[in-house]
């Protein structure tokens, strides 16, 4: 059974850094688009960053508010996805989820087949 397990969340002061990891098991995700989402308190889930597979050039995409502060990466031999988060601010507080293997409707990503359970990130001022 395919599983994604996030780790690395925690509490940090504004301006600090955290690195999230998402380890996959039961399936090889090297041919999949992978992504990080977050859900802030009282808000809908939003896409934070995504990365394509090697065939598509490991193309990265970011939410505008995290550009220049967050870096998504993947280590396919380890079946692991990462999110390096620097210069954190209180707006980054939320539960962060990793997702793998995009589902498409009309050529647009509408969902992912696999989701992790989430890891809490809390940024205090």
């Amino acid at each position: 059974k395919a599983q994604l397990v996030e780790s690395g969340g925690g509490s940090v002061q504004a301006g600090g850094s955290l690195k999230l990891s998402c380890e996959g098991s039961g399936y090889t995700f090297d041919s999949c688009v992978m992504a990080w989402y977050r859900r802030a308190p009282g808000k809908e889930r939003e896409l934070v960053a995504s990365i394509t597979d090697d065939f598509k050039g490991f193309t990265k995409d970011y939410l505008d508010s995290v550009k220049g502060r967050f870096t998504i990466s993947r280590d396919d031999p380890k079946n692991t996805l990462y999110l390096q988060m620097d210069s954190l601010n209180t707006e980054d507080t939320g539960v962060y989820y990793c997702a793998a293997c995009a589902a498409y409707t009309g050529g647009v990503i509408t969902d992912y087949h696999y989701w992790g359970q989430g890891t809490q990130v809390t940024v205090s001022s």
Side-chain angles (χ1 to χ4, degrees):
K1 177 183 177 182
Q3 274 192 308
L4 296 170
V5 178
E6 301 98 336
S7 62
S11 296
V12 64
Q13 287 195 320
S17 299
L18 284 173
K19 185 173 184 177
L20 305 183
S21 299
C22 171
E23 185 173 357
S25 62
Y27 187 84
T28 301
F29 296 102
D30 59 358
S31 62
C32 290
V33 175
M34 300 187 78
W36 287 98
Y37 282 76
R38 70 185 179 193
R39 188 189 299 275
K43 296 185 179 180
E44 293 189 354
R45 186 179 66 189
E46 63 181 351
L47 175 64
V48 175
S50 64
I51 184 168
T52 64
D53 59 4
D54 186 11
F55 182 76
K56 295 178 182 174
F58 294 129
T59 302
K60 302 174 184 180
D61 193 24
Y62 295 95
L63 181 68
D64 283 347
S65 63
V66 308
K67 285 180 181 177
R69 300 188 298 120
F70 289 12
T71 303
I72 189 171
S73 63
R74 61 193 294 167
D75 186 335
D76 287 338
K78 293 183 178 179
N79 221 22
T80 301
L81 177 72
Y82 301 100
L83 185 68
Q84 176 67 46
M85 305 186 294
D86 298 317
S87 301
L88 285 160
N89 59 57
T90 56
E91 298 288 308
D92 298 317
T93 293
V95 179
Y96 284 70
Y97 301 89
C98 71
C101 305
Y104 295 85
T105 300
V108 177
I109 294 175
T110 52
D111 200 354
Y112 284 80
H113 291 288
Y114 305 103
W115 290 87
Q117 81 289 348
T119 186
Q120 176 70 44
V121 171
T122 303
V123 184
S124 58
S125 58

